[in-house]
Tab-separated table of all heavy atoms in Angstrom:
chain	number	residue	atom	x	y	z
A	1	ALA	N	103.147	170.037	-76.048
A	1	ALA	CA	104.623	170.386	-76.120
A	1	ALA	C	104.909	171.824	-75.671
A	1	ALA	O	106.043	172.179	-75.419
A	1	ALA	CB	105.145	170.081	-77.483
A	2	PHE	N	103.864	172.622	-75.585
A	2	PHE	CA	103.984	174.047	-75.186
A	2	PHE	C	104.203	174.136	-73.690
A	2	PHE	O	104.597	175.187	-73.157
A	2	PHE	CB	102.757	174.846	-75.537
A	2	PHE	CG	102.621	175.291	-76.958
A	2	PHE	CD1	102.306	174.454	-78.004
A	2	PHE	CD2	103.028	176.621	-77.268
A	2	PHE	CE1	102.232	174.874	-79.296
A	2	PHE	CE2	102.990	177.068	-78.628
A	2	PHE	CZ	102.570	176.209	-79.643
A	3	LYS	N	104.018	173.079	-72.892
A	3	LYS	CA	104.171	173.053	-71.486
A	3	LYS	C	105.602	173.049	-71.130
A	3	LYS	O	106.312	171.998	-71.200
A	3	LYS	CB	103.405	171.854	-70.896
A	3	LYS	CG	103.438	171.830	-69.384
A	3	LYS	CD	102.633	170.568	-68.858
A	3	LYS	CE	102.629	170.511	-67.336
A	3	LYS	NZ	101.894	169.353	-66.859
A	4	LYS	N	106.151	174.216	-70.697
A	4	LYS	CA	107.518	174.363	-70.330
A	4	LYS	C	107.627	175.274	-69.090
A	4	LYS	O	106.695	175.990	-68.792
A	4	LYS	CB	108.313	174.989	-71.464
A	4	LYS	CG	108.283	174.193	-72.790
A	4	LYS	CD	109.010	174.944	-73.901
A	4	LYS	CE	108.886	174.202	-75.237
A	4	LYS	NZ	109.528	174.947	-76.335
A	5	MET	N	108.787	175.192	-68.458
A	5	MET	CA	109.028	176.146	-67.293
A	5	MET	C	109.228	177.479	-67.803
A	5	MET	O	109.742	177.692	-68.864
A	5	MET	CB	110.307	175.640	-66.584
A	5	MET	CG	110.058	174.437	-65.654
A	5	MET	SD	108.912	174.845	-64.352
A	5	MET	CE	109.794	176.063	-63.412
A	6	PRO	N	108.765	178.474	-67.087
A	6	PRO	CA	108.254	178.425	-65.700
A	6	PRO	C	106.754	178.082	-65.588
A	6	PRO	O	106.186	177.921	-64.454
A	6	PRO	CB	108.490	179.868	-65.126
A	6	PRO	CG	108.342	180.690	-66.299
A	6	PRO	CD	108.926	179.951	-67.522
A	7	GLY	N	106.013	177.992	-66.689
A	7	GLY	CA	104.652	177.663	-66.658
A	7	GLY	C	103.964	177.964	-68.007
A	7	GLY	O	104.583	178.528	-68.905
A	8	LEU	N	102.704	177.620	-68.134
A	8	LEU	CA	101.970	177.789	-69.444
A	8	LEU	C	100.586	178.328	-69.138
A	8	LEU	O	99.894	177.852	-68.264
A	8	LEU	CB	101.897	176.492	-70.174
A	8	LEU	CG	101.054	176.449	-71.452
A	8	LEU	CD1	101.722	177.294	-72.513
A	8	LEU	CD2	100.777	175.032	-71.901
A	9	VAL	N	100.201	179.297	-69.972
A	9	VAL	CA	98.789	179.755	-70.036
A	9	VAL	C	98.259	179.214	-71.369
A	9	VAL	O	98.775	179.550	-72.408
A	9	VAL	CB	98.689	181.285	-69.978
A	9	VAL	CG1	97.251	181.716	-70.144
A	9	VAL	CG2	99.278	181.862	-68.678
A	10	ALA	N	97.221	178.415	-71.324
A	10	ALA	CA	96.677	177.744	-72.503
A	10	ALA	C	95.257	178.230	-72.758
A	10	ALA	O	94.383	178.134	-71.926
A	10	ALA	CB	96.662	176.240	-72.390
A	11	ASP	N	95.079	178.817	-73.941
A	11	ASP	CA	93.767	179.378	-74.359
A	11	ASP	C	93.065	178.489	-75.376
A	11	ASP	O	93.689	178.137	-76.380
A	11	ASP	CB	94.078	180.786	-74.903
A	11	ASP	CG	93.017	181.307	-75.895
A	11	ASP	OD1	91.866	180.886	-75.807
A	11	ASP	OD2	93.386	182.180	-76.737
A	12	GLY	N	91.804	178.155	-75.116
A	12	GLY	CA	91.088	177.278	-76.131
A	12	GLY	C	89.678	176.998	-75.650
A	12	GLY	O	89.030	177.799	-75.033
A	13	ARG	N	89.220	175.778	-76.048
A	13	ARG	CA	87.879	175.360	-75.723
A	13	ARG	C	87.872	174.042	-74.951
A	13	ARG	O	86.899	173.696	-74.328
A	13	ARG	CB	87.025	175.230	-77.028
A	13	ARG	CG	86.623	176.587	-77.531
A	13	ARG	CD	85.986	176.401	-78.910
A	13	ARG	NE	85.545	177.700	-79.447
A	13	ARG	CZ	86.341	178.683	-79.925
A	13	ARG	NH1	87.608	178.478	-79.926
A	13	ARG	NH2	85.873	179.811	-80.359
A	14	ASP	N	88.945	173.309	-75.071
A	14	ASP	CA	89.045	171.995	-74.296
A	14	ASP	C	90.445	171.903	-73.583
A	14	ASP	O	90.855	170.808	-73.301
A	14	ASP	CB	88.876	170.860	-75.330
A	14	ASP	CG	90.025	170.746	-76.315
A	14	ASP	OD1	90.748	171.725	-76.483
A	14	ASP	OD2	90.162	169.681	-76.921
A	15	MET	N	90.941	173.028	-73.249
A	15	MET	CA	92.260	173.024	-72.534
A	15	MET	C	92.157	172.337	-71.148
A	15	MET	O	93.032	171.562	-70.813
A	15	MET	CB	92.814	174.439	-72.418
A	15	MET	CG	93.128	175.129	-73.725
A	15	MET	SD	94.449	174.380	-74.687
A	15	MET	CE	93.493	173.477	-75.892
A	16	GLY	N	91.151	172.721	-70.414
A	16	GLY	CA	90.971	172.200	-69.034
A	16	GLY	C	90.366	170.850	-68.966
A	16	GLY	O	90.456	170.183	-67.947
A	17	THR	N	89.612	170.426	-70.004
A	17	THR	CA	88.904	169.179	-69.981
A	17	THR	C	89.645	168.028	-70.637
A	17	THR	O	89.604	166.857	-70.199
A	17	THR	CB	87.543	169.307	-70.688
A	17	THR	OG1	87.767	169.829	-72.015
A	17	THR	CG2	86.614	170.175	-69.891
A	18	VAL	N	90.476	168.331	-71.744
A	18	VAL	CA	91.114	167.267	-72.536
A	18	VAL	C	92.672	167.451	-72.605
A	18	VAL	O	93.413	166.566	-72.280
A	18	VAL	CB	90.550	167.263	-73.906
A	18	VAL	CG1	91.315	166.228	-74.808
A	18	VAL	CG2	89.090	166.909	-73.907
A	19	VAL	N	93.077	168.659	-72.988
A	19	VAL	CA	94.501	168.802	-73.214
A	19	VAL	C	95.338	168.899	-71.952
A	19	VAL	O	96.353	168.226	-71.820
A	19	VAL	CB	94.748	170.089	-74.076
A	19	VAL	CG1	96.221	170.228	-74.419
A	19	VAL	CG2	93.933	170.044	-75.359
A	20	PHE	N	94.890	169.649	-70.945
A	20	PHE	CA	95.613	169.804	-69.672
A	20	PHE	C	94.642	169.574	-68.479
A	20	PHE	O	94.361	170.457	-67.755
A	20	PHE	CB	96.268	171.164	-69.570
A	20	PHE	CG	97.291	171.432	-70.650
A	20	PHE	CD1	96.982	172.356	-71.665
A	20	PHE	CD2	98.514	170.825	-70.704
A	20	PHE	CE1	97.902	172.603	-72.687
A	20	PHE	CE2	99.470	171.121	-71.623
A	20	PHE	CZ	99.150	171.997	-72.634
A	21	PRO	N	94.141	168.322	-68.342
A	21	PRO	CA	93.193	168.066	-67.250
A	21	PRO	C	93.840	168.275	-65.894
A	21	PRO	O	93.150	168.381	-64.846
A	21	PRO	CB	92.756	166.673	-67.496
A	21	PRO	CG	93.841	166.036	-68.286
A	21	PRO	CD	94.315	167.116	-69.143
A	22	GLU	N	95.152	168.249	-65.849
A	22	GLU	CA	95.988	168.385	-64.591
A	22	GLU	C	96.219	169.834	-64.266
A	22	GLU	O	96.941	170.136	-63.283
A	22	GLU	CB	97.291	167.632	-64.732
A	22	GLU	CG	98.338	168.339	-65.538
A	22	GLU	CD	98.164	168.358	-67.032
A	22	GLU	OE1	97.190	167.816	-67.576
A	22	GLU	OE2	99.044	168.963	-67.709
A	23	ALA	N	95.674	170.775	-65.008
A	23	ALA	CA	96.017	172.226	-64.863
A	23	ALA	C	95.761	172.655	-63.438
A	23	ALA	O	94.911	172.228	-62.730
A	23	ALA	CB	95.134	173.015	-65.764
A	24	THR	N	96.701	173.543	-63.007
A	24	THR	CA	96.636	174.091	-61.606
A	24	THR	C	95.397	174.958	-61.402
A	24	THR	O	94.705	174.913	-60.339
A	24	THR	CB	97.888	174.940	-61.323
A	24	THR	OG1	99.030	174.226	-61.789
A	24	THR	CG2	98.005	175.273	-59.870
A	25	LEU	N	95.059	175.745	-62.426
A	25	LEU	CA	93.917	176.648	-62.363
A	25	LEU	C	93.166	176.582	-63.718
A	25	LEU	O	93.806	176.732	-64.771
A	25	LEU	CB	94.329	178.042	-62.085
A	25	LEU	CG	93.246	179.170	-62.143
A	25	LEU	CD1	92.121	178.885	-61.160
A	25	LEU	CD2	93.828	180.528	-61.945
A	26	LYS	N	91.876	176.279	-63.684
A	26	LYS	CA	91.071	176.194	-64.886
A	26	LYS	C	90.018	177.362	-64.819
A	26	LYS	O	89.144	177.349	-63.982
A	26	LYS	CB	90.345	174.876	-64.978
A	26	LYS	CG	91.325	173.691	-64.993
A	26	LYS	CD	90.607	172.376	-64.967
A	26	LYS	CE	91.550	171.207	-64.884
A	26	LYS	NZ	90.868	169.917	-64.839
A	27	VAL	N	90.178	178.286	-65.786
A	27	VAL	CA	89.265	179.407	-65.911
A	27	VAL	C	88.343	179.181	-67.096
A	27	VAL	O	88.794	178.809	-68.212
A	27	VAL	CB	90.024	180.739	-66.074
A	27	VAL	CG1	89.079	181.870	-66.184
A	27	VAL	CG2	91.049	180.942	-64.917
A	28	PHE	N	87.050	179.406	-66.917
A	28	PHE	CA	86.122	179.302	-67.994
A	28	PHE	C	85.354	180.635	-68.099
A	28	PHE	O	84.642	181.033	-67.211
A	28	PHE	CB	85.084	178.198	-67.803
A	28	PHE	CG	84.264	177.864	-68.952
A	28	PHE	CD1	84.605	176.817	-69.836
A	28	PHE	CD2	83.087	178.622	-69.200
A	28	PHE	CE1	83.766	176.584	-70.944
A	28	PHE	CE2	82.306	178.318	-70.324
A	28	PHE	CZ	82.634	177.313	-71.213
A	29	LEU	N	85.583	181.347	-69.225
A	29	LEU	CA	84.987	182.650	-69.462
A	29	LEU	C	83.620	182.448	-70.169
A	29	LEU	O	83.550	181.685	-71.114
A	29	LEU	CB	85.930	183.554	-70.341
A	29	LEU	CG	87.271	183.874	-69.753
A	29	LEU	CD1	87.979	184.904	-70.607
A	29	LEU	CD2	87.119	184.430	-68.337
A	30	ALA	N	82.651	183.177	-69.701
A	30	ALA	CA	81.337	183.059	-70.305
A	30	ALA	C	80.748	184.493	-70.550
A	30	ALA	O	81.098	185.445	-69.897
A	30	ALA	CB	80.355	182.306	-69.346
A	31	ALA	N	79.909	184.513	-71.580
A	31	ALA	CA	79.209	185.843	-71.894
A	31	ALA	C	78.050	185.445	-72.908
A	31	ALA	O	78.176	184.453	-73.584
A	31	ALA	CB	80.135	186.872	-72.501
A	32	SER	N	77.023	186.268	-72.970
A	32	SER	CA	75.928	185.942	-73.817
A	32	SER	C	76.365	186.177	-75.279
A	32	SER	O	77.348	186.814	-75.608
A	32	SER	CB	74.782	186.934	-73.518
A	32	SER	OG	75.164	188.297	-73.934
A	33	ALA	N	75.634	185.526	-76.181
A	33	ALA	CA	75.918	185.611	-77.590
A	33	ALA	C	75.804	187.045	-78.091
A	33	ALA	O	76.542	187.515	-78.921
A	33	ALA	CB	74.975	184.710	-78.422
A	34	TRP	N	74.853	187.807	-77.525
A	34	TRP	CA	74.649	189.196	-77.885
A	34	TRP	C	75.905	190.017	-77.468
A	34	TRP	O	76.431	190.820	-78.288
A	34	TRP	CB	73.420	189.741	-77.228
A	34	TRP	CG	73.394	191.269	-77.316
A	34	TRP	CD1	73.692	192.204	-76.373
A	34	TRP	CD2	73.060	192.044	-78.474
A	34	TRP	NE1	73.591	193.458	-76.819
A	34	TRP	CE2	73.187	193.373	-78.144
A	34	TRP	CE3	72.699	191.701	-79.796
A	34	TRP	CZ2	72.953	194.440	-79.034
A	34	TRP	CZ3	72.487	192.756	-80.697
A	34	TRP	CH2	72.563	194.114	-80.290
A	35	THR	N	76.386	189.852	-76.270
A	35	THR	CA	77.531	190.591	-75.820
A	35	THR	C	78.770	190.311	-76.624
A	35	THR	O	79.479	191.228	-77.068
A	35	THR	CB	77.875	190.226	-74.281
A	35	THR	OG1	76.754	190.677	-73.494
A	35	THR	CG2	79.111	190.921	-73.862
């Protein structure tokens, strides 16, 4: 329901795989556990 014009930035762990699989751009941030 957060998906509204002009657009949505969705932050999470399954946003691109489950919640918004149709997303225009899917960014996955990674870093070591130590960092």
